[in-house]
Every structure is written in structure tokens, then in C-alpha cells.
Amino acid sequence: MGRSPELSRCWFQPMGHSCSWCAHGAAAECAPAQLYAACRRAIDKQLGGADKALLDALLPLKSGELQQAKLNPPARGLVYMLDGVPILFDASAKGDVYVPTAMGLWRAPKLLPRVPLKHPAVSQFICGYGHGHGADVMLPGVDTGALPPFPKGALVAVVVPGNPAPIAVGLAALSSEDMLASSLARGKGKAVEVLQAYGDHLWAEGGKPAANEGFLDGCVAPLPGMWDGGSGGGEEEQEDGRDAAAGVSVRCWAVESDESWSSA
């Protein structure tokens, strides 16, 4: 999938009220059945034929359950919600590209290829916004040995080890093959251009939901008994910690500082 010029994570960062809805104070409306069907067809086409059960999980069979809202200016896109939670957005409001949100992927976690991080503490750089947060996913922070096949430009989900719920959705800056080759050559740079993530403004506008108990304030941890720490790169402590590189406190699995996880 090629990158649309309208696809930008800046919509969901604290730039005035650009990510709040609805424009001019209009209330969210139920998406017309025709538009609902168009969303399903577009996503199916974008993904090259999505699993029907996963598509049904993301977009329920009853179109009346889906609500549509406009983003306030300067944003021009549309957001689609279930029970007030954003599950999908149309960046251009033209119906050409639909992107599942991280919250939408909690309903269908296997809908997109998954990019696993090496260590849960890397999530602190990706989740939320502000200094030290809201970063793209950098290659040194990716467990490239566990990547499924996908091309450059593909929509992908970002996950932490030991937690199946995606923390972010974005566009692959490299193919999975190139990510592995670059990693073996100790390459750096961007792996995933994040479009939307847990902890950003779109998530906040949707009521600040959490997928499971591992979704903490500013980071995401593994679920109990689901990770042995085998992919980490440093000294791990299962307690509150502080990452020296970012200078932020984290309630997550802490590691020794590794600035390459958060910088190109």
C-alpha cells in the first residue's frame, strides 16, 4: 500500500483541537449502510483479501452500530466508532484509504502483519505524546527475527512481547526482508512510520480505553506469564524504572539505556 499524502500521525498529537470531533459541533451519526459496505470492500481490497471473520470482528455485520464523525479543522478526515471508540479512520475523507486504529485492532488483532518489539520498555517511546513519546518505530527496537512477510508500505500492527494486543498501527518503512537484512548489518533508521497509537489524542478522545491489564500509563507491559525476557537487550527489572536516555519514568519493564531504540 503506497503512502497517501494525507496519512500523518500529526493529526493525533496535541495540535490545538485537530483531532477532536465533530466539526462545527455536529454529533456523530450512524454510518449509512452504503458507506459501511464501502468501508468493508475498501479494507478487503487494501489488504489483498482479508479474513472474513476478522473483517466481521472489526466492522460488525449490523451497519447501524457504526458511527461516523468528522475531525475538527485543520484535519479533514473521518473517524468511525463503535461504542464511542475510534476503530477506523479515513485520512482524506475521500474513501480511498481506510486505516484501522490500534483500538480497532484489539477487536481483530491478527488483521494486519505484526511487527514485534524487542522489549516492552521500547513502547514508552511510541505510546502517547510529548517529549520522549510519540516516536516512530526504529529498527534497533524491532525483533526482526520474528517478522512475518510484508512489503514496504504495508499497513502493520506494532506489538510488545508477551501482549497480543497491538499498541500502534503504521506503514512499514522497509519490507520485512529488508528489515531483517538491515538488522543483521546493525543498521539503524525507521522501521515503521506510526499513524496512530495507544495514548495519543485520538485514543484520549475515545474515552482512553485499554486492551488489557498490560496497557499502563505511557507504556505497555507483557501479560503475566507470557514473556520470559528472552528478547531484551540489557538488565531487566520487573518494577517501576527510569530510562536514562529518554529521562521519563515508566511503569513498565525497565532496561538499561539504549538510545538507538528511540533515535535514527
Side-chain angles (χ1 to χ4, degrees):
M1 173 182 153
R3 185 183 189 279
S4 167
E6 289 87 358
L7 288 181
S8 172
R9 192 180 184 183
C10 68
W11 282 12
F12 309 130
Q13 299 304 316
M15 297 174 62
H17 299 284
S18 61
C19 89
S20 60
W21 54 77
C22 305
H24 312 299
E29 299 177 350
C30 290
Q34 184 178 3
L35 183 57
Y36 166 82
C39 287
R40 289 178 62 96
R41 287 196 301 269
I43 294 174
D44 190 41
K45 182 179 179 180
Q46 285 170 202
L47 301 181
D51 182 278
K52 186 178 183 299
L54 293 175
L55 197 55
D56 288 345
L58 176 67
L59 291 168
L61 296 175
K62 295 181 179 179
S63 61
E65 296 178 2
L66 188 70
Q67 288 187 305
Q68 179 192 64
K70 293 181 180 179
L71 293 171
N72 276 323
R76 295 177 295 171
L78 299 172
V79 175
Y80 296 87
M81 299 170 292
L82 281 175
D83 299 324
V85 177
I87 62 164
L88 192 70
F89 64 90
D90 173 1
S92 66
K94 298 176 182 177
D96 50 356
V97 179
Y98 293 90
V99 179
T101 65
M103 296 80 75
L105 291 177
W106 297 345
R107 302 174 59 89
K110 295 182 180 180
L111 183 67
L112 301 180
R114 296 152 74 85
V115 174
L117 301 178
K118 283 183 177 178
H119 195 286
V122 183
S123 67
Q124 69 182 292
F125 299 109
I126 301 164
C127 299
Y129 49 81
H131 179 67
H133 298 274
D136 290 320
V137 179
M138 298 300 167
L139 188 59
V142 175
D143 183 4
T144 54
L147 290 172
F150 54 78
K152 178 180 179 180
L155 275 174
V156 294
V158 180
V159 296
V160 301
N163 197 320
I167 69 169
V169 61
L171 295 173
L174 299 169
S175 68
S176 53
E177 184 178 354
D178 287 343
M179 285 187 195
L180 177 58
S182 296
S183 177
L184 293 174
R186 293 189 172 274
K188 297 184 179 181
K190 190 179 297 184
V192 178
E193 180 180 357
V194 175
L195 299 175
Q196 192 277 319
Y198 168 72
D200 68 7
H201 258 41
L202 188 63
W203 164 84
E205 289 284 344
K208 302 183 178 182
N212 55 52
E213 62 189 286
F215 280 65
L216 307 173
D217 184 12
C219 67
V220 177
L223 295 176
M226 291 190 64
W227 185 61
D228 61 5
S231 298
E235 179 182 354
E236 298 94 11
E237 299 177 0
Q238 191 176 1
E239 62 182 19
D240 288 2
R242 185 174 182 84
D243 186 281
V248 293
S249 296
V250 295
R251 291 174 51 241
C252 197
W253 290 67
V255 295
E256 290 295 314
S257 171
D258 183 347
E259 290 186 337
S260 65
W261 282 353
S262 60
S263 59

